[in-house]
Amino acid sequence: MRERITPGPGQESVWDYPRPPRLEDSSKHIQVVFNEVIIADTRRAKRVLETSHPPSYYIPPDDIRLEYFHRTTRSTFCEWKGQAAYYTIQIGDQQAENAAWFYPNPTPDFIGIKNYVAVYPSRMQACYVNGELVQSQPGDFYGGWITSDIVGPFKGGAGTWGW
């Protein structure tokens, strides 16, 4: 593992995030763009913070263009949040398979994200936090959102599974 990056003013280190993860409200302006369409736009997101991971943002369904989201048969299990279900996003001829997930019946500690939707930023045209273009977390497992106010190193890339 690389050494923890010391956060500067106004920054957070993912190494200061808790384990088990914490759920918190976020009033930051979150936007998701896919195939030139803003498919999510909110200031009512929630974010999950977990040691070594950039935040994942969960967006309330009322702030999502759900007509572009199609539930799939994929499911995964998180020891903290419970059983996740997935959506494929399709607009016109562009499709991102299993690119969004949600928890229809989360554990009691995460009931606040019930049916809220998270997306993999790597599979979107763009994701923004307060107007800043998000970088996706390395790898394709966690779906964290990296912005200039978050420092690592981040788990997810090659060679980080044993951290």
Coordinates of all heavy atoms in Angstrom, one line a residue, residues 60-135:
P60 N -31.9 10.1 -4.7 CA -33.3 9.7 -4.5 C -34.0 9.5 -5.8 O -33.7 10.2 -6.8 CB -33.9 10.9 -3.8 CG -32.9 12.0 -3.9 CD -31.6 11.5 -4.3
P61 N -34.8 8.4 -5.9 CA -35.5 8.1 -7.2 C -36.3 9.2 -7.8 O -36.4 9.3 -9.0 CB -36.4 6.9 -6.8 CG -36.1 6.5 -5.4 CD -35.2 7.5 -4.8
D62 N -36.8 10.1 -6.9 CA -37.6 11.3 -7.5 C -36.7 12.2 -8.3 O -37.3 13.1 -9.0 CB -38.3 12.0 -6.3 CG -39.4 11.3 -5.7 OD1 -39.9 10.3 -6.3 OD2 -39.8 11.7 -4.6
D63 N -35.4 12.1 -8.1 CA -34.5 13.0 -8.8 C -33.8 12.4 -10.0 O -32.7 12.8 -10.4 CB -33.5 13.6 -7.8 CG -34.2 14.5 -6.8 OD1 -35.3 14.9 -7.0 OD2 -33.6 14.8 -5.7
I64 N -34.3 11.2 -10.4 CA -33.7 10.4 -11.5 C -34.7 10.2 -12.6 O -35.9 10.1 -12.3 CB -33.3 9.1 -10.9 CG1 -32.2 9.2 -9.9 CG2 -32.8 8.1 -12.0 CD1 -31.8 8.0 -9.2
R65 N -34.2 10.2 -13.8 CA -35.1 9.9 -15.0 C -35.2 8.4 -15.1 O -34.5 7.8 -15.9 CB -34.4 10.5 -16.2 CG -34.2 12.0 -16.2 CD -35.4 12.9 -16.6 NE -36.0 12.5 -17.8 CZ -35.7 13.0 -19.0 NH1 -34.8 14.0 -19.1 NH2 -36.3 12.6 -20.1
L66 N -36.0 7.8 -14.3 CA -36.1 6.4 -14.2 C -36.6 5.7 -15.4 O -36.5 4.5 -15.6 CB -37.0 6.0 -13.0 CG -36.3 6.2 -11.6 CD1 -37.3 5.9 -10.5 CD2 -35.1 5.3 -11.5
E67 N -37.2 6.5 -16.4 CA -37.6 5.8 -17.6 C -36.5 5.3 -18.4 O -36.7 4.4 -19.3 CB -38.4 6.8 -18.5 CG -37.6 8.0 -19.1 CD -37.7 9.3 -18.2 OE1 -37.8 9.2 -17.0 OE2 -37.5 10.4 -18.8
Y68 N -35.2 5.7 -18.1 CA -34.1 5.2 -18.8 C -33.4 4.0 -18.1 O -32.4 3.5 -18.5 CB -33.0 6.3 -19.0 CG -33.5 7.4 -19.8 CD1 -33.6 8.7 -19.3 CD2 -34.0 7.3 -21.1 CE1 -34.0 9.8 -20.0 CE2 -34.5 8.3 -21.9 CZ -34.5 9.6 -21.3 OH -35.0 10.6 -22.1
F69 N -33.9 3.7 -16.9 CA -33.3 2.6 -16.1 C -34.2 1.4 -16.1 O -35.4 1.4 -15.9 CB -33.3 3.1 -14.6 CG -32.3 4.2 -14.3 CD1 -32.4 5.4 -14.9 CD2 -31.2 3.9 -13.5 CE1 -31.4 6.4 -14.7 CE2 -30.2 4.9 -13.3 CZ -30.4 6.2 -13.8
H70 N -33.6 0.2 -16.4 CA -34.3 -1.0 -16.6 C -33.7 -2.1 -15.7 O -32.5 -2.4 -15.8 CB -34.2 -1.5 -18.1 CG -34.6 -0.4 -19.0 ND1 -35.9 -0.1 -19.3 CD2 -33.8 0.4 -19.8 CE1 -35.9 0.9 -20.1 NE2 -34.7 1.2 -20.5
R71 N -34.5 -2.6 -14.8 CA -34.0 -3.5 -13.8 C -33.5 -4.8 -14.5 O -34.1 -5.3 -15.4 CB -35.1 -3.9 -12.8 CG -34.6 -4.7 -11.7 CD -35.2 -4.4 -10.4 NE -34.7 -5.3 -9.3 CZ -35.3 -5.5 -8.2 NH1 -36.4 -4.9 -8.0 NH2 -34.8 -6.4 -7.3
T72 N -32.4 -5.3 -14.0 CA -31.8 -6.5 -14.5 C -31.9 -7.6 -13.5 O -32.4 -7.4 -12.3 CB -30.3 -6.3 -14.9 OG1 -29.5 -6.2 -13.7 CG2 -30.1 -5.1 -15.8
T73 N -31.4 -8.8 -13.8 CA -31.4 -9.9 -12.9 C -30.2 -10.0 -12.0 O -30.1 -10.8 -11.0 CB -31.5 -11.3 -13.6 OG1 -30.4 -11.4 -14.5 CG2 -32.8 -11.4 -14.4
R74 N -29.2 -9.1 -12.2 CA -28.0 -9.1 -11.4 C -28.3 -8.7 -10.0 O -29.2 -7.8 -9.7 CB -27.0 -8.1 -12.0 CG -25.7 -8.0 -11.2 CD -24.7 -7.2 -11.9 NE -23.5 -6.9 -11.1 CZ -22.5 -7.7 -10.7 NH1 -22.6 -9.0 -11.2 NH2 -21.5 -7.3 -10.0
S75 N -27.6 -9.3 -9.0 CA -27.7 -8.9 -7.6 C -26.3 -9.2 -7.0 O -25.6 -10.1 -7.4 CB -28.8 -9.6 -6.9 OG -28.6 -10.9 -6.7
T76 N -26.0 -8.4 -6.0 CA -24.8 -8.7 -5.2 C -25.1 -8.5 -3.7 O -26.2 -7.9 -3.4 CB -23.7 -7.7 -5.6 OG1 -24.1 -6.4 -5.5 CG2 -23.2 -8.0 -7.1
F77 N -24.2 -8.8 -2.9 CA -24.5 -8.7 -1.4 C -23.3 -7.9 -0.8 O -22.2 -8.2 -1.0 CB -24.6 -10.1 -0.8 CG -24.8 -10.0 0.7 CD1 -26.1 -9.8 1.1 CD2 -23.8 -10.2 1.6 CE1 -26.4 -9.7 2.5 CE2 -24.1 -10.1 3.0 CZ -25.4 -9.8 3.4
C78 N -23.7 -6.9 0.0 CA -22.8 -6.1 0.8 C -23.0 -6.5 2.2 O -24.1 -6.5 2.7 CB -23.0 -4.6 0.6 SG -22.1 -3.6 1.7
E79 N -21.9 -6.8 2.9 CA -22.0 -7.2 4.3 C -22.6 -6.1 5.2 O -23.2 -6.3 6.3 CB -20.7 -7.6 4.9 CG -19.6 -6.5 4.9 CD -18.3 -6.9 5.4 OE1 -18.2 -7.6 6.5 OE2 -17.3 -6.6 4.7
W80 N -22.5 -4.8 4.8 CA -23.0 -3.7 5.5 C -24.4 -3.3 5.1 O -25.2 -2.9 6.0 CB -22.1 -2.5 5.4 CG -20.7 -2.8 5.7 CD1 -19.6 -2.8 4.8 CD2 -20.1 -3.3 6.9 NE1 -18.5 -3.2 5.3 CE2 -18.7 -3.5 6.6 CE3 -20.6 -3.6 8.2 CZ2 -17.8 -4.0 7.6 CZ3 -19.7 -4.0 9.1 CH2 -18.3 -4.2 8.8
K81 N -24.7 -3.2 3.8 CA -25.9 -2.7 3.3 C -27.0 -3.7 2.9 O -28.1 -3.4 2.8 CB -25.6 -1.8 2.1 CG -24.7 -0.6 2.5 CD -24.5 0.4 1.3 CE -23.4 -0.1 0.3 NZ -22.1 -0.3 0.8
G82 N -26.6 -4.9 2.6 CA -27.5 -6.0 2.3 C -27.4 -6.3 0.8 O -26.4 -6.1 0.1
Q83 N -28.6 -6.8 0.3 CA -28.7 -7.3 -1.1 C -29.0 -6.1 -2.1 O -29.9 -5.4 -1.9 CB -29.8 -8.3 -1.2 CG -29.8 -9.1 -2.5 CD -28.8 -10.2 -2.4 OE1 -28.5 -10.8 -1.4 NE2 -28.2 -10.6 -3.6
A84 N -28.1 -6.0 -3.1 CA -28.3 -4.9 -4.1 C -28.9 -5.5 -5.3 O -28.7 -6.6 -5.7 CB -26.9 -4.3 -4.4
A85 N -29.7 -4.7 -6.0 CA -30.3 -5.0 -7.3 C -29.7 -3.9 -8.3 O -29.2 -2.9 -7.9 CB -31.8 -4.8 -7.2
Y86 N -29.8 -4.3 -9.6 CA -29.1 -3.4 -10.6 C -30.0 -3.0 -11.7 O -31.1 -3.6 -11.9 CB -28.0 -4.3 -11.2 CG -26.8 -4.4 -10.3 CD1 -26.8 -5.2 -9.2 CD2 -25.7 -3.6 -10.4 CE1 -25.8 -5.3 -8.3 CE2 -24.6 -3.6 -9.6 CZ -24.7 -4.5 -8.5 OH -23.6 -4.6 -7.6
Y87 N -29.6 -1.9 -12.3 CA -30.3 -1.3 -13.5 C -29.3 -1.3 -14.6 O -28.1 -0.9 -14.5 CB -30.7 0.1 -13.3 CG -31.9 0.3 -12.3 CD1 -31.7 1.0 -11.1 CD2 -33.1 -0.1 -12.6 CE1 -32.7 1.3 -10.3 CE2 -34.2 0.1 -11.8 CZ -34.0 0.8 -10.6 OH -35.0 1.1 -9.8
T88 N -29.8 -1.5 -15.8 CA -29.1 -1.1 -17.1 C -29.7 0.2 -17.5 O -30.9 0.4 -17.4 CB -29.3 -2.2 -18.1 OG1 -28.5 -3.4 -17.8 CG2 -28.8 -1.7 -19.5
I89 N -28.9 1.1 -18.0 CA -29.3 2.4 -18.4 C -29.3 2.4 -19.9 O -28.2 2.0 -20.5 CB -28.4 3.5 -17.8 CG1 -28.5 3.5 -16.3 CG2 -28.9 4.9 -18.4 CD1 -27.5 4.3 -15.6
Q90 N -30.3 2.8 -20.6 CA -30.4 2.9 -22.0 C -31.1 4.2 -22.5 O -32.2 4.5 -22.0 CB -31.1 1.7 -22.6 CG -31.0 1.7 -24.2 CD -31.3 0.4 -24.8 OE1 -31.6 -0.6 -24.1 NE2 -31.3 0.4 -26.1
I91 N -30.4 4.9 -23.4 CA -30.9 6.1 -24.0 C -30.5 5.9 -25.5 O -29.4 5.9 -25.8 CB -30.4 7.4 -23.4 CG1 -30.8 7.5 -21.9 CG2 -30.9 8.6 -24.2 CD1 -30.2 8.7 -21.3
G92 N -31.6 5.9 -26.3 CA -31.3 5.7 -27.8 C -30.5 4.4 -28.0 O -30.9 3.4 -27.5
D93 N -29.4 4.5 -28.8 CA -28.7 3.3 -29.1 C -27.5 3.1 -28.1 O -26.7 2.1 -28.2 CB -28.1 3.4 -30.5 CG -27.2 4.5 -30.7 OD1 -27.1 5.4 -29.8 OD2 -26.5 4.6 -31.8
Q94 N -27.4 3.9 -27.0 CA -26.4 3.7 -26.0 C -26.9 3.0 -24.8 O -28.0 3.4 -24.3 CB -25.7 5.0 -25.7 CG -24.9 5.6 -26.8 CD -23.9 6.6 -26.3 OE1 -23.6 6.8 -25.1 NE2 -23.4 7.4 -27.2
Q95 N -26.2 2.0 -24.3 CA -26.6 1.2 -23.2 C -25.4 1.0 -22.3 O -24.3 0.7 -22.7 CB -27.1 -0.1 -23.7 CG -27.5 -1.0 -22.6 CD -28.2 -2.3 -23.1 OE1 -29.2 -2.2 -23.7 NE2 -27.6 -3.4 -22.8
A96 N -25.6 1.1 -21.0 CA -24.6 0.7 -20.0 C -25.2 -0.4 -19.1 O -26.1 -0.1 -18.3 CB -24.2 1.9 -19.2
E97 N -24.8 -1.6 -19.3 CA -25.3 -2.7 -18.6 C -24.9 -2.8 -17.1 O -23.8 -2.6 -16.8 CB -24.9 -4.0 -19.3 CG -25.6 -5.2 -18.8 CD -25.3 -6.5 -19.7 OE1 -25.0 -6.3 -20.9 OE2 -25.4 -7.6 -19.1
N98 N -25.9 -3.0 -16.3 CA -25.7 -3.1 -14.8 C -24.8 -1.9 -14.3 O -23.9 -2.1 -13.5 CB -25.0 -4.4 -14.5 CG -26.0 -5.6 -14.7 OD1 -27.1 -5.5 -14.3 ND2 -25.5 -6.6 -15.4
A99 N -25.1 -0.7 -14.7 CA -24.3 0.5 -14.4 C -24.8 1.2 -13.2 O -24.2 2.2 -12.8 CB -24.3 1.4 -15.6
A100 N -25.9 0.8 -12.7 CA -26.5 1.5 -11.5 C -27.0 0.4 -10.5 O -27.4 -0.7 -11.0 CB -27.6 2.4 -11.9
W101 N -27.0 0.7 -9.2 CA -27.5 -0.3 -8.3 C -28.3 0.4 -7.2 O -28.2 1.6 -7.0 CB -26.4 -1.1 -7.7 CG -25.4 -0.4 -6.8 CD1 -25.5 -0.4 -5.4 CD2 -24.3 0.4 -7.1 NE1 -24.5 0.4 -4.9 CE2 -23.7 0.9 -5.9 CE3 -23.7 0.8 -8.3 CZ2 -22.6 1.7 -5.9 CZ3 -22.6 1.6 -8.3 CH2 -22.1 2.1 -7.1
F102 N -29.1 -0.4 -6.4 CA -29.9 0.2 -5.3 C -30.1 -1.0 -4.4 O -29.9 -2.1 -4.7 CB -31.2 0.8 -5.9 CG -32.1 -0.2 -6.4 CD1 -33.2 -0.6 -5.7 CD2 -32.0 -0.7 -7.7 CE1 -34.1 -1.5 -6.2 CE2 -32.9 -1.6 -8.3 CZ -33.9 -2.0 -7.5
Y103 N -30.6 -0.6 -3.2 CA -30.9 -1.6 -2.1 C -32.4 -1.5 -1.8 O -32.9 -0.6 -1.2 CB -30.1 -1.3 -0.9 CG -28.7 -1.5 -1.1 CD1 -27.8 -0.5 -1.5 CD2 -28.1 -2.8 -0.9 CE1 -26.5 -0.8 -1.8 CE2 -26.8 -3.1 -1.1 CZ -26.0 -2.1 -1.6 OH -24.6 -2.3 -1.8
P104 N -33.2 -2.5 -2.3 CA -34.7 -2.4 -2.1 C -35.0 -2.7 -0.6 O -36.0 -2.3 -0.1 CB -35.2 -3.5 -3.0 CG -34.1 -4.3 -3.4 CD -32.8 -3.5 -3.2
N105 N -34.2 -3.5 0.1 CA -34.4 -3.8 1.5 C -33.1 -3.7 2.2 O -32.6 -4.8 2.6 CB -35.0 -5.2 1.6 CG -36.4 -5.2 1.0 OD1 -37.3 -4.5 1.4 ND2 -36.5 -6.0 -0.1
P106 N -32.5 -2.6 2.4 CA -31.2 -2.5 3.1 C -31.3 -2.9 4.6 O -32.4 -2.9 5.2 CB -30.8 -1.0 2.9 CG -32.2 -0.3 2.8 CD -33.1 -1.3 2.1
T107 N -30.1 -3.0 5.1 CA -30.0 -3.3 6.6 C -30.5 -2.1 7.3 O -30.6 -1.0 6.8 CB -28.5 -3.6 6.9 OG1 -27.7 -2.5 6.6 CG2 -28.0 -4.9 6.2
P108 N -30.8 -2.3 8.6 CA -31.4 -1.1 9.4 C -30.4 0.1 9.4 O -30.9 1.2 9.4 CB -31.5 -1.7 10.8 CG -31.8 -3.2 10.6 CD -31.0 -3.5 9.4
D109 N -29.1 -0.1 9.5 CA -28.2 1.0 9.5 C -28.2 1.8 8.2 O -27.7 3.0 8.2 CB -26.8 0.6 9.8 CG -26.6 0.2 11.3 OD1 -27.4 0.5 12.1 OD2 -25.6 -0.5 11.6
F110 N -28.7 1.2 7.1 CA -28.7 1.9 5.8 C -30.1 2.1 5.2 O -30.2 2.3 4.0 CB -27.7 1.1 4.9 CG -26.3 1.3 5.2 CD1 -25.7 0.5 6.1 CD2 -25.6 2.4 4.7 CE1 -24.4 0.7 6.5 CE2 -24.3 2.6 5.0 CZ -23.7 1.8 5.9
I111 N -31.1 2.0 6.1 CA -32.5 2.2 5.6 C -32.6 3.6 4.9 O -33.5 3.7 4.0 CB -33.5 2.1 6.8 CG1 -34.9 1.8 6.2 CG2 -33.4 3.3 7.7 CD1 -35.1 0.4 5.6
G112 N -31.8 4.5 5.2 CA -31.8 5.8 4.6 C -31.6 5.8 3.1 O -31.9 6.8 2.4
I113 N -31.0 4.7 2.5 CA -30.8 4.7 1.1 C -31.7 3.7 0.4 O -31.5 3.3 -0.8 CB -29.3 4.4 0.7 CG1 -28.8 3.0 1.3 CG2 -28.4 5.5 1.1 CD1 -27.5 2.5 0.8
K114 N -32.7 3.3 1.1 CA -33.7 2.4 0.5 C -34.2 3.0 -0.9 O -34.7 4.1 -0.9 CB -34.9 2.1 1.4 CG -35.9 1.1 0.8 CD -37.0 0.8 1.7 CE -37.9 -0.2 1.1 NZ -38.8 -0.8 2.0
N115 N -34.0 2.2 -1.9 CA -34.4 2.5 -3.3 C -33.6 3.7 -3.9 O -33.9 4.1 -5.0 CB -35.9 2.7 -3.4 CG -36.6 1.4 -3.2 OD1 -36.1 0.4 -3.6 ND2 -37.7 1.5 -2.5
Y116 N -32.7 4.4 -3.2 CA -31.9 5.4 -3.8 C -30.9 4.7 -4.7 O -30.6 3.5 -4.5 CB -31.0 6.1 -2.7 CG -31.7 7.2 -2.0 CD1 -33.0 7.1 -1.5 CD2 -31.1 8.4 -1.8 CE1 -33.6 8.1 -0.8 CE2 -31.7 9.5 -1.1 CZ -33.0 9.3 -0.6 OH -33.6 10.3 0.1
V117 N -30.5 5.4 -5.8 CA -29.7 4.8 -6.9 C -28.3 5.3 -6.9 O -28.1 6.6 -6.9 CB -30.4 5.0 -8.2 CG1 -29.6 4.3 -9.4 CG2 -31.9 4.4 -8.2
A118 N -27.3 4.5 -7.0 CA -25.9 4.8 -7.2 C -25.5 4.4 -8.6 O -26.1 3.4 -9.2 CB -25.1 4.2 -6.2
V119 N -24.6 5.1 -9.2 CA -24.1 4.7 -10.6 C -22.6 4.6 -10.5 O -21.9 5.3 -9.7 CB -24.5 5.8 -11.6 CG1 -26.0 5.9 -11.8 CG2 -23.9 7.1 -11.4
Y120 N -22.1 3.8 -11.4 CA -20.6 3.7 -11.6 C -20.2 4.9 -12.5 O -20.6 5.0 -13.7 CB -20.2 2.4 -12.4 CG -20.4 1.2 -11.5 CD1 -21.4 0.3 -11.8 CD2 -19.4 0.9 -10.6 CE1 -21.6 -0.8 -11.0 CE2 -19.6 -0.3 -9.8 CZ -20.6 -1.1 -10.1 OH -20.8 -2.3 -9.3
P121 N -19.5 5.9 -12.0 CA -19.1 7.0 -12.9 C -18.3 6.6 -14.1 O -18.4 7.3 -15.1 CB -18.3 7.9 -11.9 CG -18.0 7.1 -10.7 CD -18.9 6.0 -10.7
S122 N -17.6 5.5 -14.1 CA -16.8 5.0 -15.2 C -17.7 4.7 -16.4 O -17.3 4.6 -17.5 CB -15.9 3.9 -14.8 OG -16.7 2.7 -14.5
R123 N -19.0 4.4 -16.1 CA -19.9 3.9 -17.2 C -20.8 5.1 -17.7 O -21.6 4.8 -18.6 CB -20.7 2.8 -16.7 CG -19.8 1.6 -16.3 CD -20.6 0.4 -16.0 NE -19.8 -0.7 -15.4 CZ -20.3 -1.8 -14.9 NH1 -21.6 -2.0 -15.1 NH2 -19.6 -2.7 -14.4
M124 N -20.7 6.2 -17.1 CA -21.5 7.4 -17.5 C -20.7 8.3 -18.4 O -19.4 8.2 -18.4 CB -21.9 8.2 -16.2 CG -22.8 7.4 -15.3 SD -24.3 6.8 -15.9 CE -24.0 5.1 -16.2
Q125 N -21.3 9.1 -19.1 CA -20.7 10.2 -19.9 C -19.9 11.1 -19.0 O -18.8 11.5 -19.2 CB -21.6 10.9 -20.8 CG -21.0 11.9 -21.7 CD -22.0 12.6 -22.5 OE1 -23.2 12.2 -22.6 NE2 -21.6 13.7 -23.2
A126 N -20.6 11.5 -17.9 CA -20.1 12.4 -16.9 C -20.9 12.4 -15.7 O -22.1 12.2 -15.7 CB -20.0 13.9 -17.5
C127 N -20.2 12.6 -14.5 CA -20.8 12.8 -13.2 C -20.2 14.0 -12.6 O -19.0 14.2 -12.8 CB -20.6 11.6 -12.3 SG -21.3 10.0 -12.9
Y128 N -21.0 14.8 -11.9 CA -20.5 16.1 -11.4 C -20.9 16.2 -9.9 O -22.0 15.8 -9.5 CB -21.1 17.3 -12.1 CG -20.7 17.3 -13.6 CD1 -21.5 16.8 -14.5 CD2 -19.5 17.9 -13.9 CE1 -21.2 16.9 -15.9 CE2 -19.2 18.0 -15.3 CZ -20.0 17.5 -16.3 OH -19.6 17.5 -17.6
V129 N -20.0 16.7 -9.1 CA -20.3 17.1 -7.7 C -20.0 18.6 -7.6 O -18.8 19.0 -7.9 CB -19.4 16.3 -6.7 CG1 -19.7 16.9 -5.3 CG2 -19.7 14.8 -6.8
N130 N -21.0 19.4 -7.4 CA -20.9 20.9 -7.4 C -20.2 21.4 -8.6 O -19.4 22.3 -8.5 CB -20.2 21.3 -6.1 CG -21.1 21.3 -4.9 OD1 -22.3 21.2 -5.0 ND2 -20.5 21.3 -3.7
G131 N -20.5 20.8 -9.8 CA -20.0 21.3 -11.0 C -18.6 20.7 -11.4 O -18.1 20.9 -12.5
E132 N -18.0 20.0 -10.5 CA -16.7 19.4 -10.7 C -16.8 18.0 -11.4 O -17.6 17.2 -10.8 CB -15.9 19.3 -9.5 CG -14.5 18.6 -9.7 CD -13.7 18.5 -8.4 OE1 -14.1 19.0 -7.3 OE2 -12.7 17.7 -8.5
L133 N -16.2 17.8 -12.5 CA -16.2 16.5 -13.1 C -15.5 15.4 -12.2 O -14.4 15.6 -11.8 CB -15.5 16.6 -14.5 CG -15.5 15.3 -15.3 CD1 -16.9 14.8 -15.7 CD2 -14.6 15.5 -16.5
V134 N -16.2 14.4 -12.0 CA -15.8 13.3 -11.1 C -14.9 12.4 -11.9 O -15.1 12.1 -13.1 CB -17.0 12.5 -10.6 CG1 -16.6 11.2 -10.0 CG2 -17.9 13.3 -9.8
Q135 N -13.8 11.9 -11.2 CA -13.0 10.8 -11.7 C -13.5 9.5 -11.0 O -13.9 9.5 -9.9 CB -11.6 10.9 -11.3 CG -10.9 12.1 -12.0 CD -9.4 12.2 -11.5 OE1 -9.1 12.0 -10.4 NE2 -8.5 12.3 -12.5

